[in-house]
Amino acid sequence: MHSVWAGRLLHYGVAILTMGLLVVLKSYFGPLRGEVNPFLLFLAGVMFSSWLGGLGPGLLATAAAAFFSDWFFITPGQVLHNNSFEENFQVGLFFLEGAAISWGTSALRSSLLELKRADRHKDDFLATLAHELRNHLAPIHYGLASVGLASADARSLERVRMVMERQLQQLTRLVDDLLDLSRIRSGKTQLHLQRTELADVVHDAVQASQPMIERFAHELVVTLPPEPVRIEADPARLVQALANLLNNAAKYTPERGRIELTVQAETGHVQIGVRDTGVGIPADLLPKVFDRFMQVGETRDRSQGGLGLGLSLVRHIVGLHGGTVEARSDGPGKGSEFRIRLPLPAKRAVIAA
């Protein structure tokens, strides 16, 4: 936090220093150039300041340039109140021009930085995709080679078949995640809403994630409200979102950990929480965990396959249902919790109240 504020103060200081240097340059070289417009040189300083630090430093540079120009060049030793209308109009016009240049330059800078981040994410995604495909294709290649061996017995072939089937399922899931995210982001996903029993959704999601949970020998505790909770939802999509959260908890929790799935009906909405005793999430990554291709860097080796799309899909699916999802964690090594909030039908909301 201190480094962030120090960086911002540095940008503002550079803006003032730039305007001061331009005053010196203009004082020495302005008469030689025969410059009539007292603000022309300062516009370059405004652009530089806004490019370096953003809109704030750009506006500060604009204000400083207007003051310095008026004080040193338009009416030396006087500011605004002793100027003519034309001179004050000129100062005001420069301030508007400087503000427009500051906004445009900072917006261009932000766009370029966003493009650089997107390009970097694309490169990371391609590298991750190649890594994941190789991890799953290598066992399949080995299995095909084993099948061709004359010495392979029935038990060995069955074991090879199971390995190949598991790897093929992983590949299918990768492709399905990519297709789902593409359809959701392009607005081509249509929900098949129906009155859905939330307990059935929880049951199906647990069944879908059970292999991953059993693989790491986790303890799963499910807590449901005493009375049935019904919502308007696409059950298949909701199962997908909840299963992604459970799989995520299983992947990022050391073996023999604990995962809690809790459903609570409240006024106007229902809350679904998935808590684990896993590796946790650093505070600076909490706002980014739902971004595409996002994975906690230090635990990348525990991802057990996947492209970092699961949580992004969760956010989009929940959003299509009119709900929200948030991530919480006390830090690395302290586990994490994801909470989904979905609206209840009007009749159910009245009863809950």
Side-chain angles (χ1 to χ4, degrees):
M1 181 63 69
H2 292 290
S3 61
V4 173
W5 280 105
R8 291 178 179 176
L9 290 176
L10 178 62
H11 290 155
Y12 284 101
V14 169
I16 296 295
L17 180 62
T18 300
M19 293 300 106
L21 290 175
L22 291 178
V23 168
V24 175
L25 290 175
K26 187 175 178 59
S27 299
Y28 279 97
F29 299 105
L32 298 178
R33 296 175 64 244
E35 185 177 52
V36 177
N37 189 335
F39 303 107
L40 189 59
L41 184 63
F42 291 112
L43 290 176
V46 171
M47 185 177 295
F48 170 77
S49 299
S50 56
W51 180 266
L52 181 66
L55 181 60
L59 292 177
L60 179 62
T62 301
F67 175 82
F68 291 152
S69 295
D70 193 10
W71 182 268
F72 290 104
F73 304 110
I74 297 179
T75 51
Q78 301 177 4
V79 179
L80 293 182
H81 65 280
N82 289 325
N83 293 352
S84 65
F85 173 79
E86 290 77 8
E87 291 169 338
N88 286 339
F89 178 79
Q90 194 175 15
V91 172
L93 184 61
F94 166 76
F95 192 87
L96 291 177
E97 292 174 347
I101 291 176
S102 299
W103 177 83
T105 304
S106 61
L108 178 61
R109 175 177 177 271
S110 298
S111 298
L112 290 176
L113 290 177
E114 186 63 30
L115 287 175
K116 287 184 178 180
R117 282 193 291 266
D119 187 64
R120 185 171 63 251
H121 287 162
K122 180 201 67 176
D123 293 339
D124 293 342
F125 163 71
L126 292 176
T128 303
L129 178 60
H131 175 77
E132 296 297 342
L133 291 176
R134 184 183 61 184
N135 283 349
H136 296 304
L137 289 175
I140 294 177
H141 178 75
Y142 171 78
L144 290 174
S146 300
V147 170
L149 296 177
S151 59
D153 55 24
R155 179 176 299 178
S156 298
L157 290 177
E158 177 63 19
R159 184 167 59 251
V160 169
R161 186 195 67 79
M162 293 178 62
V163 171
M164 294 174 63
E165 182 179 1
R166 184 168 62 248
Q167 298 303 323
L168 186 59
Q169 290 174 350
Q170 293 280 358
L171 284 173
T172 303
R173 193 180 68 194
L174 290 178
V175 175
D176 287 343
D177 284 350
L178 284 171
L179 291 176
D180 285 340
L181 187 60
S182 176
R183 283 193 292 263
I184 289 175
R185 290 182 60 83
S186 62
K188 296 180 179 179
T189 300
Q190 293 183 351
L191 297 181
H192 302 285
L193 298 177
Q194 61 187 61
R195 187 60 61 94
T196 303
E197 179 69 53
L198 196 53
D200 295 337
V201 173
V202 171
H203 176 269
D204 292 344
V206 170
Q207 291 297 315
S209 58
Q210 197 67 38
M212 181 70 69
I213 295 174
E214 293 180 349
R215 182 177 179 182
F216 294 103
H218 295 318
E219 176 188 6
L220 176 62
V221 179
V222 179
T223 303
L224 298 174
E227 296 185 359
V229 177
R230 297 179 177 86
I231 59 175
E232 291 290 334
D234 183 331
R237 289 296 182 182
L238 209 53
V239 167
Q240 180 184 9
L242 192 53
N244 280 351
L245 288 183
L246 290 172
N247 284 331
N248 188 76
K251 291 175 186 179
Y252 291 96
T253 299
E255 292 186 3
R256 302 187 183 280
R258 179 182 174 91
I259 301 174
E260 299 177 4
L261 194 161
T262 305
V263 178
Q264 294 179 326
E266 302 177 1
T267 303
H269 68 272
V270 61
Q271 179 172 283
I272 307 172
V274 176
R275 180 193 297 269
D276 62 61
T277 57
V279 298
I281 305 172
D284 60 323
L285 292 184
L286 277 175
K288 306 175 184 178
V289 293
F290 295 103
D291 293 348
R292 288 178 298 166
F293 319 129
M294 179 63 196
Q295 294 183 350
V296 181
E298 297 180 355
T299 60
R300 179 67 187 85
D301 60 327
R302 292 197 53 81
S303 67
Q304 304 298 326
L307 300 174
L309 297 175
L311 293 180
S312 182
L313 285 172
V314 170
R315 180 177 62 180
H316 285 291
I317 292 174
V318 172
L320 289 174
H321 284 83
T324 60
V325 59
E326 63 173 337
R328 298 184 179 186
S329 178
D330 291 331
K334 298 182 179 180
S336 58
E337 181 181 8
F338 292 84
R339 294 183 180 181
I340 294 176
R341 290 167 62 94
L342 296 172
L344 288 171
K347 184 178 179 180
R348 180 65 177 83
V350 172
I351 296 176

